[in-house]
Amino acid sequence: FCGRKVRAYNATIARGPCGDQIKAILAEGRSPKCYWGTAPTGRLSHIGYFVPLTKISDFLRADVEVCHDLGHIHAFLDNMKAPLELVAHRTKYYQFILLAVFKSLGIPVTKLRFVEGSSYQLTREYNMDNYKLCATVSEHDAKKAGAEVVKQVESPLLSGLLYPGLQALDEQYLGVDFQFGGVDQRKIFTFAELYLPRLGYKKRAHLMNAMVPGLAGGKMSSSDPNSKIDFLDSPELVRKKVKAAFCEEGNTEDNGLLAFAEAVLFPAGQLRQDHIKEASGASVEYPQSFVSENAPEGTLFSIERDEKFGGSLHYSTFADLKADFASKAIHPKDLKVSVGSAINKLLDPIRAEFQANEEWQKIEKLAYPDPNAKDAKKKKKEKVYHPPPPGKGKNAQPAPPPDGNATTTEAVSEAVV
């Protein structure tokens, strides 16, 4: 069992400098506690998040207690990316997305705990430790630690310098053994390892997952719609985006489709096989299969092709798929069709969950209001009647002459004479 846990940590992880700490915890026979955090600034929307979520699925299956910190205050401090009035709605949206993804992968979430950062970051003790950090950390170190995570601007705000310190303190106040994040978190992890011991707290271990390239090359980013596929994109839109993805024949570098197959599709396929072996006839919901009919046993991913082009290809390892693409045995079009189909199979249960959940749909509208939506027509101002002054208005009568008989003109003339 311990060996299985070690494999869960090692697979597809870019190792941090403290891996031995985790092995020591496993040797003690206890379940480690993991901290994975997100700041609800954007939508947590694109499929690049399948990479850390697939790894967290491994942790959960290895009996790790995973604490997902929804960083309200982190989101606000990051150059005010998220207005405070929207953060609460976005936090709820994140929970819906994450639970739907784990369900689509067939992962039990009994050991997954959601924590709102503000529930402990506003306490007296936490703030005192934050002040102690501020009295210890140089501006240079704080800025360097957040360089790849905090939004960089020409005139940075003080809030961005606080961000790395808060993320380091979270490890202590959540009571975890290790923190997990993308390789873009490396500098913050190094910062935490350096400064937590200076406050008298133990140094935690850190594990990192690789970042998946975008569809056009480079990093998959929520701010670039051409680089990503969203969890709720329609099947037609997914196929359109995959068709337009950069996928040069024989080129395995900066290939977002191959990278996604390695980081998500093959692990998800293995996860499905493990589920089937472990279920022992029990009624469970398996992840979708990316294998064509009549594929050999042990196949995790299939490239479906017409017989006139050589027929379908079946792979039990990503290395074989990558080698065939590099040798041009697989045409980019065939890879795109098969990867696009697999992505849609992953997303089908998530889209179905969204369509069936009215609360989730309502939260999405509150969390991410349409910036182009026209404001409702302003209510017309009610007219208030103001009576005209005496002798004015269309129904006003001329004043009677002074003597009661002569007209006004005659009375004036007599007065002049």
Side-chain angles (χ1 to χ4, degrees):
F1 183 60
C2 181
R4 173 183 161 186
K5 286 187 175 183
V6 172
R7 288 194 298 274
Y9 293 106
N10 287 341
T12 69
I13 285 285
R15 309 233 192 341
C18 305
D20 290 341
Q21 289 179 250
I22 296 177
K23 292 181 180 179
I25 295 170
L26 296 177
E28 294 173 9
R30 68 179 180 90
S31 297
K33 295 180 180 179
C34 167
Y35 159 35
W36 181 62
T38 54
T41 52
R43 279 183 173 265
L44 189 77
S45 59
H46 64 72
I47 61 173
Y49 283 100
F50 264 119
V51 178
L53 294 177
T54 300
K55 179 47 53 184
I56 288 173
S57 298
D58 286 342
F59 293 158
L60 292 170
R61 292 177 63 241
D63 206 32
V64 177
E65 296 179 27
V66 178
C67 174
H68 179 58
D69 189 306
L70 296 156
H72 294 62
I73 296 177
H74 288 275
F76 180 68
L77 289 178
D78 190 359
N79 206 44
M80 298 179 67
K81 284 182 182 177
L84 283 175
E85 58 270 18
L86 295 182
V87 166
H89 298 309
R90 293 183 178 182
T91 297
K92 189 69 174 176
Y93 180 85
Y94 273 38
Q95 291 186 44
F96 277 122
I97 277 284
L98 291 171
L99 291 174
V101 170
F102 286 128
K103 184 177 179 181
S104 75
L105 294 173
I107 298 298
V109 292
T110 54
K111 288 214 168 188
L112 175 65
R113 180 167 59 102
F114 288 100
V115 176
E116 295 183 1
S118 57
S119 66
Y120 63 90
Q121 291 168 343
L122 300 179
T123 62
R124 178 183 181 278
E125 294 77 14
Y126 188 98
N127 275 278
M128 184 55 66
D129 276 341
N130 188 29
Y131 294 145
K132 290 178 182 178
L133 270 182
C134 291
T136 306
V137 179
S138 68
E139 177 192 5
H140 172 270
D141 284 0
K143 190 173 183 179
K144 179 182 178 182
E148 295 184 50
V149 177
V150 179
K151 185 178 181 181
Q152 301 298 298
V153 294
E154 185 175 346
S155 181
L157 299 173
L158 176 61
S159 59
L161 300 178
L162 298 176
Y163 193 109
L166 268 62
Q167 188 166 331
L169 287 176
D170 291 347
E171 296 179 355
Q172 173 65 24
Y173 282 81
L174 290 171
V176 298
D177 298 301
F178 72 94
Q179 186 178 173
F180 172 62
V183 292
D184 58 342
Q185 302 277 335
R186 184 184 299 272
K187 292 179 180 178
I188 290 184
F189 290 170
T190 302
F191 175 95
E193 292 171 14
L194 175 64
Y195 281 103
L196 275 188
R198 295 187 183 184
L199 295 183
Y201 300 134
K202 69 176 182 179
K203 180 171 69 173
R204 268 67 176 188
H206 298 96
L207 295 178
M208 292 166 280
N209 65 269
M211 309 295 285
V212 175
L215 298 178
K219 180 181 176 181
M220 187 175 290
S221 170
S222 296
S223 60
D224 182 2
N226 295 321
S227 76
K228 65 186 179 76
I229 292 173
D230 286 346
F231 285 119
L232 300 177
D233 277 349
S234 68
E236 295 76 18
L237 185 55
V238 170
R239 287 190 286 268
K240 180 179 178 181
K241 288 183 176 181
V242 170
K243 184 178 180 180
F246 173 76
C247 189
E248 183 180 30
E249 187 175 16
N251 185 356
T252 60
E253 301 299 322
D254 289 326
N255 188 319
L257 300 182
L258 279 178
F260 189 79
E262 178 182 22
V264 178
L265 298 182
F266 276 84
Q270 184 63 57
L271 186 63
R272 184 178 190 277
Q273 289 193 359
D274 291 345
H275 273 308
I276 294 173
K277 291 177 182 177
E278 295 168 3
S280 300
S283 178
V284 295
E285 189 172 339
Y286 300 133
Q288 292 282 351
S289 171
F290 316 127
V291 177
S292 60
E293 294 183 7
N294 303 319
E297 185 177 352
T299 298
L300 299 179
F301 183 75
S302 295
I303 297 286
E304 298 191 40
R305 302 188 303 189
D306 193 280
E307 289 297 331
K308 65 181 179 181
F309 297 117
S312 297
L313 299 171
H314 310 288
Y315 299 94
S316 58
T317 68
F318 173 75
D320 291 340
L321 172 68
K322 183 178 180 180
D324 275 2
F325 188 82
S327 67
K328 301 183 180 181
I330 300 174
H331 191 273
K333 181 181 178 181
D334 295 326
L335 180 67
K336 288 183 176 183
V337 170
S338 297
V339 171
S341 174
I343 291 174
N344 270 326
K345 288 179 179 178
L346 273 177
L347 299 183
D348 279 343
I350 300 173
R351 289 185 290 236
E353 184 82 14
F354 177 75
Q355 292 299 326
N357 194 324
E358 293 184 4
E359 184 183 0
W360 186 1
Q361 296 172 37
K362 180 180 178 181
I363 285 294
E364 188 220 13
K365 289 183 173 63
L366 293 172
Y368 306 99
D370 185 357
N372 299 317
K374 294 182 180 179
D375 294 334
K377 292 184 178 180
K378 294 182 178 179
K379 189 177 180 180
K380 290 184 178 180
K381 190 175 180 180
E382 292 184 7
K383 292 183 178 180
V384 179
Y385 175 73
H386 296 285
K392 302 293 183 180
K394 61 182 181 180
N395 296 323
Q397 298 294 328
D403 61 0
N405 294 315
T407 65
T408 302
T409 304
E410 291 172 342
V412 170
S413 298
E414 290 175 1
V416 172
V417 175

